[in-house]
Amino acid sequence: MKTFLKKHPAFVLIIGLCALFFTQQKVVMPLVYEVIKSDLFLVDSNDKASQLPISTHLTELAFNNCNQYIKSKLASNITVTFPGKPINAWSLGNYQYVINAEITTSSDPTKTNTHKYACRITYKNGDDQEGVEDLKNWTVDGLSGLENI
């Protein structure tokens, strides 16, 4: 038997791959499907996701908090101007938002640049709306589009 395995390593590899594939299909994937069907990853909150851009009190706060975060990260010699409203704002559900907006920056009074950005931000206290106005209760999870400033 050992000589057969030494003479035909490709055959052993094929048998091993078939066993791995069978285990994946018949054991692992059914377990994964059961976990997906369960409520294990379900988060129940009053903030529902929206596929379309929305404008609510919370998206306005998210927009303002993203702007404050951007302002705190920019160098002191850069002047930044924020618009009154974002281009778009989406709710991802469970108090997570994506804000798409643009800002105007200038380090020289004669030259201005406009930058579009996307900001992902989360309100940490969930359904407890008592601290929604406090910037400390928000977390910026990601910011893109402003890398070149």
Side-chain angles (χ1 to χ4, degrees):
M1 182 72 168
K2 288 184 181 182
T3 59
F4 177 77
L5 296 178
K6 286 184 181 180
K7 288 184 180 179
H8 304 289
F11 182 72
V12 173
L13 178 66
I14 291 171
I15 295 295
L17 287 176
C18 289
L20 182 64
F21 178 75
F22 180 78
T23 304
Q24 177 77 21
Q25 287 296 102
K26 299 298 180 188
V27 177
V28 175
M29 290 310 294
L31 290 174
V32 169
Y33 290 138
E34 287 301 316
V35 170
I36 290 171
K37 284 190 242 176
S38 74
D39 291 340
L40 182 64
F41 298 108
L42 181 64
V43 177
D44 192 23
S45 77
N46 292 332
D47 185 48
K48 303 299 179 200
S50 172
Q51 292 181 352
L52 299 175
I54 60 170
S55 179
T56 65
H57 176 64
L58 288 171
T59 58
E60 290 173 16
L61 286 171
F63 171 64
N64 291 332
N65 290 335
C66 281
N67 289 344
Q68 290 297 323
Y69 178 81
I70 291 167
K71 193 172 189 176
S72 72
K73 295 297 180 187
L74 292 177
S76 60
N77 66 331
I78 297 177
T79 305
V80 61
T81 306
F82 297 100
K85 292 192 174 269
I87 297 170
N88 288 314
W90 294 272
S91 174
L92 301 178
N94 197 29
Y95 302 97
Q96 298 178 38
Y97 303 96
V98 174
I99 307 298
N100 179 8
E102 58 183 27
I103 60 172
T104 305
T105 60
S106 173
S107 55
D108 177 7
T110 61
K111 190 168 99 175
T112 62
N113 297 314
T114 302
H115 307 275
K116 285 188 177 182
Y117 71 88
C119 175
R120 182 171 175 177
I121 188 166
T122 302
Y123 176 62
K124 297 186 282 189
N125 293 350
D127 290 335
D128 179 13
Q129 299 293 306
E130 203 166 305
V132 76
E133 302 284 338
D134 189 0
L135 184 60
K136 294 176 187 173
N137 294 328
W138 292 82
T139 304
V140 174
D141 302 319
L143 182 65
S144 65
L146 302 178
E147 294 83 9
N148 297 329
I149 298 179

